[in-house]
Amino acid sequence: MPLLLLGGTAEARRLAGRLAGRDDLKLTLSLAGRTENPVPQPVPVRTGGFGGVEGLAQFLRDHAIGAVIDATHPYAAVISRNAATACAAVGVPLLALRRAPWARQAGDLWRDVADVPAAVEALGEAPRRVFLALGRNEVRAFAAAPQHSYVIRSVDPVVPPLAVPDAAYVVARGPFAEDDERALLGGHGIEIIVAKNSGGAATYAKMAAARALGIEVLLLRRPDMPEVEAVESLDEAVAWVERVMAERS
Ligand code: NAP
């Protein structure tokens, strides 16, 4: 059965590893092509947008896709909605593999904000030392608040740099360790973090470090996701694939 796995996350890579090498599956992992040096994947990869709902529906028909697993990031809402619409239109079973959001713990100084512009606003007028753990395109909006000092971490370099007088850049890909996050946040005297509630273990260390250091975190609200069958674990996703294949035969 040809199976399309929408990826760009560590979970998608791990699921691909679990499903690789089976002779009853022909797996294709799809990446948007955002990162300059994507990590190697254990299955064949196609890269780039499909061209909206229509393009994705056409891809499903052209490749006789028997099932789709949406294992994209919890903030990648457009592709998730497109997958729901295209799969419904073509009649292809769809499963979402979704990470649960992190839950607030005692000592967390979290403040929810609607989106990136709201986060810029919430930093306030007085200069602060800010750590941005966002995508390199999302950080652009912070040029509107040049009074703050920024430490910006991204997978690829921010080019051109942010148009503010004081910004330092860290190019790094998770997973991150709590000790390293404490050293980074403490070393830069960070007072506030802007981040996504991504869930999962790979990027949680900054949240634990923030709690330990008493640093406030502005958390971007998760976008609404389409109502489709969803699971949280790789085991459940593998079981779903088995079920879909059994129903076809
Ligand atoms: P998005 O806003 O939901 O999608 C924008 C467009 O990018 C989609 O309409 C689609 O183009 C294309 N696209 C997205 N994911 C794709 C995939 N897996 N395969 C093929 N095309 C894809 O997505 P995003 O937030 O920019 O995220 C892009 C990628 O980065 C995703 O793979 C996501 O898992 C990963 N990622 C995102 C975040 C985040 O914070 N958003 C963090 C880590 C990783 P067409 O309409 O042309 O098909």
Side-chain angles (χ1 to χ4, degrees):
M1 179 179 77
L3 187 147
L4 177 64
L5 177 55
L6 301 171
T9 58
E11 285 80 2
R13 192 174 70 255
R14 283 203 294 273
L15 180 59
R18 285 276 298 270
L19 297 173
R22 293 176 58 139
D23 51 18
D24 54 355
L25 273 180
K26 183 167 174 277
L27 198 55
T28 303
L29 177 62
S30 178
L31 299 177
R34 295 280 193 281
T35 50
E36 286 167 16
N37 296 299
V39 292
Q41 302 285 345
V43 298
V45 171
R46 66 155 302 283
T47 303
F50 295 96
V53 173
E54 279 311 311
L56 180 51
Q58 196 58 48
F59 183 95
L60 299 178
R61 289 190 204 98
D62 289 349
H63 295 82
I65 298 294
V68 175
I69 297 182
D70 172 13
T72 57
H73 192 270
Y75 285 74
V78 178
I79 188 69
S80 293
R81 288 185 204 126
N82 288 358
T85 310
C87 285
V90 181
V92 176
L94 168 68
L95 180 76
L97 176 61
R98 292 196 184 134
R99 292 181 208 158
W102 299 314
R104 195 185 291 262
Q105 293 188 21
D108 280 328
L109 303 174
W110 295 2
R111 191 158 28 128
D112 290 338
V113 289
D115 50 22
V116 171
V120 174
E121 187 75 28
L123 290 177
E125 287 301 315
R128 303 179 83 180
R129 300 195 60 81
V130 185
F131 179 60
L132 299 181
L134 300 173
R136 60 177 165 163
N137 295 322
E138 291 153 329
V139 304
R140 296 263 157 239
F142 291 84
Q147 71 274 29
H148 306 300
S149 300
Y150 294 96
V151 175
I152 301 170
R153 180 167 67 198
S154 54
V155 172
D156 291 307
V158 177
V159 181
L162 199 59
V164 297
D166 187 2
Y169 297 89
V170 180
V171 176
R173 198 196 300 266
F176 301 103
E178 187 179 336
D179 284 353
D180 296 338
E181 298 291 61
R182 278 199 203 203
L184 179 71
L185 298 171
H188 285 278
I190 295 298
E191 297 166 307
I192 188 164
I193 296 172
V194 185
K196 294 174 179 168
N197 191 338
S198 296
T203 58
Y204 184 71
K206 65 177 177 288
M207 311 300 284
R211 182 166 59 239
L213 297 171
I215 296 172
E216 189 181 4
V217 183
L218 298 180
L219 271 181
L220 304 188
R221 197 166 302 147
R222 280 191 170 201
D224 291 336
M225 285 292 169
E227 301 250 334
V228 302
E229 188 174 351
V231 295
E232 285 183 14
S233 73
L234 298 191
D235 285 346
E236 291 168 297
V238 172
W240 181 84
V241 172
E242 307 273 3
R243 215 163 48 240
V244 171
M245 282 197 296
E247 281 163 12
R248 279 162 60 100
S249 58

